Amino acid sequence: MNDSSSGTATTTARPATQPTGRPTIWWPALAGIVAGALTVSVAELLAALLVRSGHSQGTPSPVVALGQAFIDRTPLWLKNLAVSTFGTHDKQALLTGIAAVVVVVAAVAGIVAARHRVAGLLVVVAMAAVAGFAVLSRPKSSGTDLFPLVIGTVVGLFALSKLLDRWARSDLARADDPADTPSTRIDGDLARRSFLRALAGGGAFAVLAGVGAQVIAHASRAVQASRAALALPAPTGATPTPAQLAGLDVPGLSPMVTPPEDFYRIDTALSVPQLSTQDWHLRVHGMVEHEIRMTFADLLALPMIERQTTLTCVSNEVGGDLIGNQVWLGHPIRELLARAQPTQDADMVLSTSIDGFTAGTPLEALTDDHRDALLAVAMGGEPLPVEHGFPVRMVVPGLYGYVSATKWVVDLEVTRFDQAEGYWTPRGWSALGPIKTGSRIDVPRGKAKAGKVAVAGVAWAQHRGIERVEVRVDEGAWAPARLGDGGTADTWKQWVYEWDASPGKHTLQVRATDAQDDVQTGDEATPAPNGATGWHTVSVTIT
Ligand SMILES: Nc1nc2c(c(=O)[nH]1)N[C@H]1C(S)=C(S)[C@@H](COP(=O)(O)O)O[C@H]1N2
Ligand SMILES: [Mo]
């Protein structure tokens, strides 16, 4: 490089080449940087979309994951040095540092790839692998979190390859080539234009994708911050006792309380609504004497109770997992309605989510003194996860989610079933959705050793309560299972049956009886229009 004084590739329109015909390294470096920018921006855009869709609990953003992984491994002295040097800008300094490293590595990848294509591409792959490990090392990460990085890397490798192909054919790479003829010169000129166009196009696309990623991630970050800043009020009155939360100790049995990350998620939202506590407002209106409007601060100032309630989706198949139990903190909806005073002829509350989803709930289920329907703000002692309705959702014991459990709820209209209908009603599901008595075998599944085998699972008849659970083997006599102590009438109950298993293939079945002495039906029904029925049946091979 004999003319480095002429500046960098970004400021020089057409860097000179050495008179020997050896090409300059600046154009391949620039191609590497554009390809690197494409890799990062595409990965960041897809990561932001993945988070917004609610399909990631981890940190799919490679830049954030790298930064976080770096922070976690920073020795204290360096951390202190960073804070004393950059103050509260230490995070920006770190991100700038990551960007600088990426630019250098991308430039090197371009330069190397110009001579040895595969070696250069491997530099990109190596960098992506480091970022991939960072992504996987974040809490709650899953394989899905790698998807944005993998797609971004493929786009980057492809871009680098194409850019360098054009560059190699252009007169930028072959200037002063002694073998130049008029015809190769025209080709070289064309290839140069196409290379420069692709370089500019790739750069522009990377900027757009990067800005898009920032805009999308910004809303999620604002809501994450709002969630992190939320100080939950203490519950009033009795809270679930340790005995009510205690589970049976059987390996493989669903825990009494479902961890939030394992809690099923069902909604119509392609992109999870991002609603901060500041932006949340509730209106209670319609057939009421007094309309109510409240902010989130108003809601938090009201008495909050804590209740254990098992949610169930009407789409849950026999033996399915669209059911989960949690401890919810919220304000009783009956107290709100007592203030609003529904008129005599009202019989339904149509709740609406910020994203337009609606549920029609019988008014009496919400005004009942003995049914703790909540305007919930917390799940398991934490603010609601965003995909489970942050900042406010409804939780109503005894009713399927589609007619009661509106997430991101912002509007309660008191009305009548003959005047309004919830989202799923015109789509083939019943207007009313009381939860049907059900039961599920969790263990054993598949195989077990002969001798004492714990057959165990959960059974539910929310708000009526479970009276007993029975198990039968190979369609023999029904035998009683032992119920766990945990739970209430509004939750599932764990159960276990000690089975003396003999070798061979066996069929296990379970049925529950609710506290009104109604036995779970063995008649098989599909989920539509108002919930599946039938006995959960599993085959086990005993060896
Ligand atoms: N806003 C909104 N709330 C909703 C839904 C929805 O599609 N949108 N689905 C309902 C259904 S069908 C069920 S079963 C529950 C599921 O709640 P979860 O995702 O927290 O488990 O949410 C209910 N609340
Ligand atoms: Mo549902």
Side-chain angles (χ1 to χ4, degrees):
M1 190 62 35
N2 61 358
D3 66 343
S4 56
S5 60
S6 68
T8 62
T10 43
T11 54
T12 312
R14 206 179 146 182
T17 50
Q18 292 188 347
T20 58
R22 281 230 328 267
T24 163
I25 62 167
W26 293 113
W27 290 113
L30 193 56
I33 291 170
V34 166
L38 278 168
T39 303
V40 174
S41 61
V42 166
E44 291 295 320
L45 179 63
L46 293 176
L49 289 170
L50 191 65
V51 169
R52 272 296 278 276
S53 73
H55 286 97
S56 169
Q57 311 271 339
T59 309
S61 155
V63 172
V64 175
L66 274 172
Q68 210 63 54
F70 187 84
I71 288 172
D72 293 353
R73 283 165 185 75
T74 309
L76 194 60
W77 64 265
L78 186 56
K79 198 165 286 182
N80 291 339
L81 181 69
V83 173
S84 64
T85 313
F86 301 110
T88 52
H89 295 299
D90 60 333
K91 302 241 164 26
Q92 277 101 309
L94 174 61
L95 292 178
T96 309
I98 291 175
V101 170
V102 170
V103 167
V104 169
V105 172
V108 168
I111 294 165
V112 174
R115 315 225 163 156
H116 308 281
R117 185 59 57 90
V118 175
L121 298 184
L122 281 177
V123 173
V124 177
V125 171
M127 182 73 203
V130 171
F133 278 115
V135 167
L136 287 181
S137 74
R138 301 320 304 155
K140 299 185 183 175
S141 67
S142 71
T144 320
D145 293 341
L146 283 182
F147 165 80
L149 179 64
V150 169
I151 301 291
T153 306
V154 169
V155 168
L157 292 173
F158 181 79
L160 184 56
S161 226
K162 290 286 159 200
L163 283 170
L164 289 178
D165 284 348
R166 290 179 191 196
W167 168 78
R169 272 187 279 112
S170 77
D171 51 10
L172 295 169
R174 300 191 287 103
D176 303 327
D177 190 333
D180 241 6
T181 67
S183 93
T184 60
R185 222 171 292 138
I186 290 171
D187 284 353
D189 184 58
L190 282 176
R192 167 165 46 82
R193 285 155 192 266
S194 126
F195 167 67
L196 291 176
R197 259 201 311 275
L199 207 56
F205 186 88
V207 168
L208 281 182
V211 169
Q214 285 306 307
V215 169
I216 293 166
H218 179 78
S220 325
R221 273 201 297 269
V223 169
Q224 286 305 339
S226 163
R227 185 172 178 269
L230 172 55
L232 293 170
T236 61
T239 55
T241 62
Q244 285 173 332
L245 297 170
L248 289 173
D249 187 17
V250 178
L253 169 63
S254 302
M256 188 58 214
V257 177
T258 314
E261 59 273 20
D262 295 340
F263 208 93
Y264 80 96
R265 174 190 161 203
I266 293 286
D267 53 58
T268 57
L270 202 55
S271 163
V272 176
Q274 305 290 316
L275 186 57
S276 69
T277 54
Q278 290 88 336
D279 293 338
W280 184 86
H281 295 270
L282 179 74
R283 184 167 167 232
V284 185
H285 64 111
M287 299 170 70
V288 294
E289 300 292 348
H290 307 287
E291 198 170 310
I292 298 176
R293 280 167 191 274
M294 65 166 71
T295 63
F296 193 76
D298 296 335
L299 174 63
L300 275 202
L302 297 172
M304 295 272 165
I305 61 174
E306 201 168 59
R307 290 292 180 274
Q308 200 185 167
T309 302
T310 299
L311 289 189
T312 311
C313 184
V314 67
S315 299
N316 196 32
E317 305 271 358
V318 171
D321 57 6
L322 300 181
I323 178 167
N325 183 50
Q326 256 297 348
V327 176
W328 310 92
L329 174 76
H331 180 64
I333 295 175
R334 63 170 167 271
E335 291 186 18
L336 267 190
L337 291 173
R339 272 163 61 196
Q341 289 189 28
T343 56
Q344 278 302 313
D345 44 348
D347 64 7
M348 181 228 249
V349 171
L350 187 76
S351 51
T352 306
S353 157
I354 188 79
D355 69 349
F357 170 86
T358 53
T361 311
L363 179 63
E364 77 222 12
L366 302 178
T367 52
D368 188 347
D369 277 339
H370 305 288
R371 192 190 302 242
D372 293 322
L374 301 179
L375 217 42
V377 297
M379 172 176 180
E382 296 284 333
L384 294 174
V386 177
E387 63 274 21
H388 290 293
F390 181 83
V392 185
R393 75 173 303 166
M394 283 173 56
V395 172
V396 184
L399 306 182
Y400 286 122
Y402 81 108
V403 290
S404 70
T406 306
K407 304 190 270 191
W408 317 288
V409 64
V410 290
D411 189 286
L412 300 180
E413 184 192 358
V414 180
T415 178
R416 294 179 52 82
F417 275 98
D418 60 13
Q419 284 172 20
E421 54 186 6
Y423 181 89
W424 286 110
T425 307
R427 292 170 172 81
W429 299 80
S430 303
L432 298 180
I435 297 175
K436 296 176 180 176
T437 301
S439 50
R440 184 179 76 196
I441 299 170
D442 289 341
V443 285
R445 288 253 166 131
K447 290 189 181 79
K449 290 251 171 294
K452 292 260 176 276
V453 172
V455 181
V458 285
W460 59 91
Q462 287 97 312
H463 206 58
R464 299 183 298 282
I466 287 292
E467 176 77 28
R468 66 177 173 276
V469 172
E470 295 160 298
V471 172
R472 69 175 183 180
V473 182
D474 300 329
E475 309 211 347
W478 289 103
R482 178 165 66 86
L483 295 182
D485 292 332
T488 68
D490 290 340
T491 73
W492 62 18
K493 293 284 278 182
Q494 293 176 319
W495 56 266
V496 59
Y497 170 76
E498 282 246 320
W499 174 37
D500 196 7
S502 57
K505 214 172 143 83
H506 298 284
T507 303
L508 300 172
Q509 285 178 302
V510 61
R511 71 174 188 192
T513 300
D514 72 10
Q516 295 164 0
D517 221 26
D518 283 329
V519 181
Q520 178 187 341
T521 178
D523 295 346
E524 286 173 18
T526 57
N530 54 20
T533 57
W535 294 323
H536 190 207
T537 305
V538 302
S539 300
V540 213
T541 305
I542 301 296
T543 52

